Amino acid sequence: MEQTPHFVVLILQLVNNQATNENIRFAAALYFKNFVKRRWPQNEDTEDTLSVEDRKAVKSEIVSLMITVPKRLQLQIGEAVSIIAENDFPEEWPELISTLVSKLSATDYHINNGILQTAHTVFREWRSAFRSDRLYSKINYVLSQFTDAYLQVFVTTDRLIGEHAGNGAALKVLLHSLMLLCQIYYDLNCQDLPPFFEDNMDQFMQTFHKYLVYSDPGAESDDDIPGDLEEVKASICEIIDLYAQRYEEEFKQLPQFVETVWSMLTTVSASHKYDIVVSRGMSFLCTVVRNPRHRSLFAASESLQLICERIIIPNTALPTNDEELFEDDPLQFVRRDAEGSEAGSRREAAAALISGLLDQFATETTQVMSQYIQKGLAQYAVNPVANWRDKDIAMFLVTSVAVVASVGSLGATRVNSLVDTTDFFRTQVVQHLQNVGSDASAPILKVDAIKYVITFRSQLPHELLTQALPLLSAHLAHSDTVVATYAAIAIERLLVLKRDGLLLFAPAEVEPLAQAMLGHIFGILDRADSPQRLAENDYLMKAVMRIILATRTNILPVAPAALAKLASILAEVAKNPSNPRFSHFMFEAIAALARFSCAAERSAIDQFEATLFPIFQSILQEDVLEYMPYLFQILAQLLSVHQGSGGLPDAYASLLAPLLQPSLWASQGNIPALVRLLQSYLQIGGAQLAAAGQLQPILGVFQRLIASRTNDQHGFALLLAITQFVPVETLKQYMKPVLTLCLTRLQTSRTKKFTRDFVHFVAAVMCIGSQDGTGINMLFDVMDAIQPGLLATLLGNVLLEALPLVVGRVERKTTVVGFSLMIVSSRFQSAPTYAPLTGPVLKQLATMLMDNTVKDTKSDTVTSATSASAVASDEDLDSLEVEASGYQAAYAKLATLGEIKIDPCPQITNAAVGLAQILRPVQALLAGAIQQLPSEQAQFIMATLSR
């Protein structure tokens, strides 16, 4: 339906139809945004299914739509505008800015806000964009058409705000305009300081300063949520922070703003709605503090004392809102605390400001903060129940002062030499972990203690971490969700920690704790009363995954119980998948459990198949689309265990026909996983499938994939498995139609990706039967059957040019070996049309091998042509992360299973060795061709042959 002409225009009209129910309009806006995300971008490797006419129609209507629709819909349409602009503006959408400017109104600020929101939606992408000539051309294009109108609206808005003092309704609209103007100001200045803004800096900065101290009872929001005035002040702080970082020399007003922000931070209320202002204000001060040229502003001991006492300390207490969140929504508390919020918190900003002070005044800052730390610890010691907040602040301050540098994967990588983090752990932290039942009135202190371990895991001695691991394991059973979740996070982080290249906790050290840790986590999950509640805590499932990975084959004793629990969880959450991260970790855990259990005891495969197959069958029958790619990957893994068992097990054989149904292949997310599964089918039973006449429908799948620019690489992956695992005699009868399909695609819709993959495929065919030339003779025969001398034409016009494009260690080796075998074959050297191409082929092979810019991919897991199953290496599993494993909503590759790299020439260790082994016996025959090569390539080949 999406490919129906004018479909997207109709969706846009539905969004714009004010007579339609707003929920339906919102659903249409959301659909439109996702449609644009999927189908608007154009590139060589994807089909363009959107007509030029429809693209023009959308661009002609969407600006007007943004101006008129409610804000809820505007946010969705705005994202679509951003995507369209990123792809089309300005080359294919030159009228965008002039259209926006032309619609600005001198009186209707509701329209202006829609226009300004649209402009900000287009411009905000520049904030994170890499510098490039195209980006600067785009910005200059905007500046040339937009800045005069922008300044006029800016000045008018400022004037109108003054004229409407005390008018809450008018100020709400006008301050929203000013907030958008501030955001656009940042957008237009984020890459470089345009001359327009430099020339008008005094005027802009005077206005910004005015609103940084502006107050009007009519502008104040009634609730505890930031209003437009707070957003304006936060945006101004963001602008002056940018100028302090990037344009300090031109920013003459900097001292005035430092004084104003300092004053503002010492007087601002503790109300939650001011958090964003405080956070951005402290970020500005931190930028100034870090600059050695402004050291004198803070060098006096009184200044340091004041900034700590009046600004930092008041913003280190755990906010009341967070205390309530801890009780009311534990997982939201963990997510905000562990991952941070987009706006940032007062505590985060305070920690950053401490870090800035430490940059310039390490000793002085440490001494001042130590006073507050000791005071807090002393207060807690007087009355631990009543004064737990004092210790919470003290532990926060210790962490802030001690951490000099940190990364997410390791915690603190460099610490303040004036802070003894080990001693603090022994004297102040471990006491909160020794008894699960302690701190009943203040479980936040247990969270602080666990976070201390997480933060300083790379700094604390091994023996202390060894002491901490069982204590953390025990806290998985804590009744408080936040405590148990942080214990899971800490365990997961410790089990991935390395020192001197080795895991800190070897499998044998994890094994004694594995059963208890898994039992506690499964116990928490068992208490969930719905599929959604079961899947909401992905931190727990990530810990399950890591415990299995860390235990390796030692997991076997607890594997049956773990499998039963994971299967039960899978069956339940499959009823209503709701958390992609939880689902991914769950399937990674299942895959890891199967991998290590079957590696330890091959007969374990029976239990996995007996337990999982009924659930998999139910998921397939219920058409649970989110889980199908995972199922197919795990089926491929389980099937690969049957390597050498004499053929396809009956259960898998009966499943093949349903797997080939077009409906499954219609889902893009299924395709990579289904191809991998078919590769396993061919690996285990290629000859069996060929004998049973089941190869033809698999080739039908190949035909469908190869016709698609999006999926042709998957088609070649499937074809590679067919050529390597199907008997040659059977393969011969299908080679002509296969090559005809490839050649047709080359002629009608060639892309670099397709050509590169085709080169690799041709090389792989030539590697078949390398000793007797089976593959080469088959290729020559089939090409000549299609058209005499076709291979020579193809080689000269297509393949030669594409040879150096091949990437990947196995692919490059295969290409070098295949084409080397070709040029030394009698079929090649004896034919007048082929022999003259010897030199050009050698030149391209040498060029490929000399190109050091093409790196071998780390994830290459090499498998010979007799074994297509692949698993991630132990080293990869040690640091396995969802983000690093290519997680996406449509298709998430299970990193536990690694990459499949079928190697048609496993007997050759690398490409250069292959070239030498093949060319050396006929070196005399090739001497003339080598001598005619450019000197660089000739020297390279001779050096390779002489090794």
Side-chain angles (χ1 to χ4, degrees), residues 214-226:
Y214 174 85
S215 177
D216 187 311
E220 295 287 339
S221 57
D222 297 330
D223 51 28
D224 209 24
I225 299 173

Side-chain angles (χ1 to χ4, degrees), residues 24 175 334 490 540 720 747 788 882 886 943:
I24 295 175
L175 285 171
V334 173
L540 296 178
L720 182 62
Q747 188 174 18
V882 164

